[in-house]
PDB file of all heavy atoms in Angstrom:
ATOM      1  N   ILE A 199     117.442  98.145 -16.345  1.00  0.00           N
ATOM      2  CA  ILE A 199     116.454  97.063 -16.445  1.00  0.00           C
ATOM      3  C   ILE A 199     116.953  95.800 -15.647  1.00  0.00           C
ATOM      4  O   ILE A 199     116.241  95.164 -14.902  1.00  0.00           O
ATOM      5  CB  ILE A 199     116.117  96.691 -17.833  1.00  0.00           C
ATOM      6  CG1 ILE A 199     115.310  97.900 -18.467  1.00  0.00           C
ATOM      7  CG2 ILE A 199     115.283  95.450 -17.968  1.00  0.00           C
ATOM      8  CD1 ILE A 199     115.292  97.876 -20.015  1.00  0.00           C
ATOM      9  N   ASN A 200     118.195  95.492 -15.816  1.00  0.00           N
ATOM     10  CA  ASN A 200     118.791  94.279 -15.127  1.00  0.00           C
ATOM     11  C   ASN A 200     118.846  94.571 -13.623  1.00  0.00           C
ATOM     12  O   ASN A 200     118.809  93.553 -12.846  1.00  0.00           O
ATOM     13  CB  ASN A 200     120.170  93.984 -15.637  1.00  0.00           C
ATOM     14  CG  ASN A 200     120.183  93.373 -16.993  1.00  0.00           C
ATOM     15  OD1 ASN A 200     119.089  92.678 -17.348  1.00  0.00           O
ATOM     16  ND2 ASN A 200     121.264  93.486 -17.743  1.00  0.00           N
ATOM     17  N   ASP A 201     118.809  95.887 -13.230  1.00  0.00           N
ATOM     18  CA  ASP A 201     118.818  96.189 -11.749  1.00  0.00           C
ATOM     19  C   ASP A 201     117.389  96.299 -11.263  1.00  0.00           C
ATOM     20  O   ASP A 201     117.230  96.695 -10.053  1.00  0.00           O
ATOM     21  CB  ASP A 201     119.609  97.466 -11.545  1.00  0.00           C
ATOM     22  CG  ASP A 201     121.113  97.362 -11.629  1.00  0.00           C
ATOM     23  OD1 ASP A 201     121.581  96.110 -11.509  1.00  0.00           O
ATOM     24  OD2 ASP A 201     121.852  98.325 -11.814  1.00  0.00           O
ATOM     25  N   GLY A 202     116.383  96.044 -12.085  1.00  0.00           N
ATOM     26  CA  GLY A 202     115.037  96.025 -11.553  1.00  0.00           C
ATOM     27  C   GLY A 202     114.220  97.221 -11.921  1.00  0.00           C
ATOM     28  O   GLY A 202     113.061  97.391 -11.414  1.00  0.00           O
ATOM     29  N   ALA A 203     114.693  98.140 -12.795  1.00  0.00           N
ATOM     30  CA  ALA A 203     113.942  99.343 -13.111  1.00  0.00           C
ATOM     31  C   ALA A 203     112.706  99.019 -13.983  1.00  0.00           C
ATOM     32  O   ALA A 203     112.747  97.946 -14.730  1.00  0.00           O
ATOM     33  CB  ALA A 203     114.812 100.281 -13.898  1.00  0.00           C
ATOM     34  N   HIS A 204     111.632  99.739 -13.798  1.00  0.00           N
ATOM     35  CA  HIS A 204     110.485  99.614 -14.705  1.00  0.00           C
ATOM     36  C   HIS A 204     110.889 100.013 -16.078  1.00  0.00           C
ATOM     37  O   HIS A 204     111.740 100.906 -16.302  1.00  0.00           O
ATOM     38  CB  HIS A 204     109.305 100.461 -14.266  1.00  0.00           C
ATOM     39  CG  HIS A 204     108.834 100.227 -12.876  1.00  0.00           C
ATOM     40  ND1 HIS A 204     108.069  99.148 -12.546  1.00  0.00           N
ATOM     41  CD2 HIS A 204     108.942 101.048 -11.688  1.00  0.00           C
ATOM     42  CE1 HIS A 204     107.727  99.208 -11.244  1.00  0.00           C
ATOM     43  NE2 HIS A 204     108.257 100.316 -10.703  1.00  0.00           N
ATOM     44  N   TRP A 205     110.340  99.251 -17.068  1.00  0.00           N
ATOM     45  CA  TRP A 205     110.681  99.526 -18.502  1.00  0.00           C
ATOM     46  C   TRP A 205     109.462  99.776 -19.238  1.00  0.00           C
ATOM     47  O   TRP A 205     108.624  98.897 -19.344  1.00  0.00           O
ATOM     48  CB  TRP A 205     111.470  98.345 -19.042  1.00  0.00           C
ATOM     49  CG  TRP A 205     111.930  98.514 -20.419  1.00  0.00           C
ATOM     50  CD1 TRP A 205     112.122  99.706 -21.164  1.00  0.00           C
ATOM     51  CD2 TRP A 205     112.254  97.479 -21.392  1.00  0.00           C
ATOM     52  NE1 TRP A 205     112.533  99.464 -22.397  1.00  0.00           N
ATOM     53  CE2 TRP A 205     112.673  98.078 -22.620  1.00  0.00           C
ATOM     54  CE3 TRP A 205     112.262  96.099 -21.298  1.00  0.00           C
ATOM     55  CZ2 TRP A 205     113.099  97.317 -23.689  1.00  0.00           C
ATOM     56  CZ3 TRP A 205     112.650  95.346 -22.350  1.00  0.00           C
ATOM     57  CH2 TRP A 205     113.016  95.976 -23.556  1.00  0.00           C
ATOM     58  N   ILE A 206     109.308 101.080 -19.750  1.00  0.00           N
ATOM     59  CA  ILE A 206     108.205 101.446 -20.549  1.00  0.00           C
ATOM     60  C   ILE A 206     108.664 101.776 -21.977  1.00  0.00           C
ATOM     61  O   ILE A 206     109.590 102.559 -22.124  1.00  0.00           O
ATOM     62  CB  ILE A 206     107.531 102.695 -20.001  1.00  0.00           C
ATOM     63  CG1 ILE A 206     107.136 102.489 -18.473  1.00  0.00           C
ATOM     64  CG2 ILE A 206     106.233 103.030 -20.818  1.00  0.00           C
ATOM     65  CD1 ILE A 206     106.209 101.354 -18.270  1.00  0.00           C
ATOM     66  N   ALA A 207     108.059 101.176 -22.941  1.00  0.00           N
ATOM     67  CA  ALA A 207     108.362 101.529 -24.388  1.00  0.00           C
ATOM     68  C   ALA A 207     107.268 102.334 -24.907  1.00  0.00           C
ATOM     69  O   ALA A 207     105.980 102.044 -24.715  1.00  0.00           O
ATOM     70  CB  ALA A 207     108.591 100.164 -25.134  1.00  0.00           C
ATOM     71  N   THR A 208     107.614 103.504 -25.567  1.00  0.00           N
ATOM     72  CA  THR A 208     106.556 104.299 -26.104  1.00  0.00           C
ATOM     73  C   THR A 208     105.705 103.625 -27.246  1.00  0.00           C
ATOM     74  O   THR A 208     104.635 103.834 -27.442  1.00  0.00           O
ATOM     75  CB  THR A 208     107.053 105.614 -26.656  1.00  0.00           C
ATOM     76  OG1 THR A 208     108.066 105.311 -27.760  1.00  0.00           O
ATOM     77  CG2 THR A 208     107.849 106.380 -25.634  1.00  0.00           C
ATOM     78  N   ASN A 209     106.494 102.757 -27.949  1.00  0.00           N
ATOM     79  CA  ASN A 209     105.825 102.010 -29.082  1.00  0.00           C
ATOM     80  C   ASN A 209     106.800 100.939 -29.585  1.00  0.00           C
ATOM     81  O   ASN A 209     107.973 101.041 -29.245  1.00  0.00           O
ATOM     82  CB  ASN A 209     105.406 102.952 -30.213  1.00  0.00           C
ATOM     83  CG  ASN A 209     106.670 103.512 -30.944  1.00  0.00           C
ATOM     84  OD1 ASN A 209     107.392 104.299 -30.416  1.00  0.00           O
ATOM     85  ND2 ASN A 209     106.813 103.134 -32.205  1.00  0.00           N
ATOM     86  N   THR A 210     106.287 100.041 -30.320  1.00  0.00           N
ATOM     87  CA  THR A 210     107.190  99.051 -30.973  1.00  0.00           C
ATOM     88  C   THR A 210     106.975  98.968 -32.434  1.00  0.00           C
ATOM     89  O   THR A 210     107.021  97.929 -33.142  1.00  0.00           O
ATOM     90  CB  THR A 210     106.908  97.635 -30.342  1.00  0.00           C
ATOM     91  OG1 THR A 210     105.465  97.359 -30.358  1.00  0.00           O
ATOM     92  CG2 THR A 210     107.366  97.525 -28.855  1.00  0.00           C
ATOM     93  N   ASP A 211     106.744 100.162 -33.124  1.00  0.00           N
ATOM     94  CA  ASP A 211     106.656 100.218 -34.555  1.00  0.00           C
ATOM     95  C   ASP A 211     107.982  99.703 -35.140  1.00  0.00           C
ATOM     96  O   ASP A 211     109.041 100.244 -34.888  1.00  0.00           O
ATOM     97  CB  ASP A 211     106.451 101.625 -34.990  1.00  0.00           C
ATOM     98  CG  ASP A 211     105.056 102.176 -34.625  1.00  0.00           C
ATOM     99  OD1 ASP A 211     104.332 101.444 -33.981  1.00  0.00           O
ATOM    100  OD2 ASP A 211     104.745 103.349 -34.996  1.00  0.00           O
ATOM    101  N   ALA A 212     107.829  98.694 -35.978  1.00  0.00           N
ATOM    102  CA  ALA A 212     109.071  98.111 -36.563  1.00  0.00           C
ATOM    103  C   ALA A 212     109.770  99.075 -37.532  1.00  0.00           C
ATOM    104  O   ALA A 212     110.987  99.019 -37.673  1.00  0.00           O
ATOM    105  CB  ALA A 212     108.720  96.776 -37.241  1.00  0.00           C
ATOM    106  N   THR A 213     108.935  99.882 -38.197  1.00  0.00           N
ATOM    107  CA  THR A 213     109.553 100.729 -39.238  1.00  0.00           C
ATOM    108  C   THR A 213     109.065 102.151 -39.006  1.00  0.00           C
ATOM    109  O   THR A 213     108.051 102.472 -38.364  1.00  0.00           O
ATOM    110  CB  THR A 213     109.105 100.269 -40.615  1.00  0.00           C
ATOM    111  OG1 THR A 213     107.703 100.242 -40.725  1.00  0.00           O
ATOM    112  CG2 THR A 213     109.605  98.877 -40.876  1.00  0.00           C
ATOM    113  N   LEU A 214     109.797 103.080 -39.725  1.00  0.00           N
ATOM    114  CA  LEU A 214     109.447 104.499 -39.723  1.00  0.00           C
ATOM    115  C   LEU A 214     109.516 104.974 -41.172  1.00  0.00           C
ATOM    116  O   LEU A 214     110.524 104.817 -41.875  1.00  0.00           O
ATOM    117  CB  LEU A 214     110.475 105.311 -38.849  1.00  0.00           C
ATOM    118  CG  LEU A 214     110.214 106.768 -38.745  1.00  0.00           C
ATOM    119  CD1 LEU A 214     109.021 107.064 -37.894  1.00  0.00           C
ATOM    120  CD2 LEU A 214     111.482 107.434 -38.116  1.00  0.00           C
ATOM    121  N   PRO A 215     108.474 105.596 -41.606  1.00  0.00           N
ATOM    122  CA  PRO A 215     108.404 105.991 -42.988  1.00  0.00           C
ATOM    123  C   PRO A 215     109.289 107.318 -43.264  1.00  0.00           C
ATOM    124  O   PRO A 215     109.136 108.193 -42.416  1.00  0.00           O
ATOM    125  CB  PRO A 215     106.931 106.301 -43.345  1.00  0.00           C
ATOM    126  CG  PRO A 215     106.319 106.562 -42.048  1.00  0.00           C
ATOM    127  CD  PRO A 215     107.108 105.761 -41.016  1.00  0.00           C
ATOM    128  N   THR A 216     110.002 107.355 -44.251  1.00  0.00           N
ATOM    129  CA  THR A 216     110.829 108.486 -44.616  1.00  0.00           C
ATOM    130  C   THR A 216     110.606 108.702 -46.134  1.00  0.00           C
ATOM    131  O   THR A 216     110.174 107.868 -46.836  1.00  0.00           O
ATOM    132  CB  THR A 216     112.339 108.360 -44.329  1.00  0.00           C
ATOM    133  OG1 THR A 216     112.950 107.509 -45.307  1.00  0.00           O
ATOM    134  CG2 THR A 216     112.546 107.756 -42.997  1.00  0.00           C
ATOM    135  N   PRO A 217     111.011 109.948 -46.673  1.00  0.00           N
ATOM    136  CA  PRO A 217     110.922 110.195 -48.060  1.00  0.00           C
ATOM    137  C   PRO A 217     111.695 109.131 -48.931  1.00  0.00           C
ATOM    138  O   PRO A 217     111.345 108.873 -50.083  1.00  0.00           O
ATOM    139  CB  PRO A 217     111.426 111.558 -48.244  1.00  0.00           C
ATOM    140  CG  PRO A 217     111.167 112.289 -46.926  1.00  0.00           C
ATOM    141  CD  PRO A 217     111.393 111.149 -45.945  1.00  0.00           C
TER     142      PRO A 217
END
Side-chain angles (χ1 to χ4, degrees):
I199 292 163
N200 286 334
D201 285 342
H204 299 289
W205 181 22
I206 308 299
T208 61
N209 68 292
T210 51
D211 292 2
T213 59
L214 181 71
T216 76

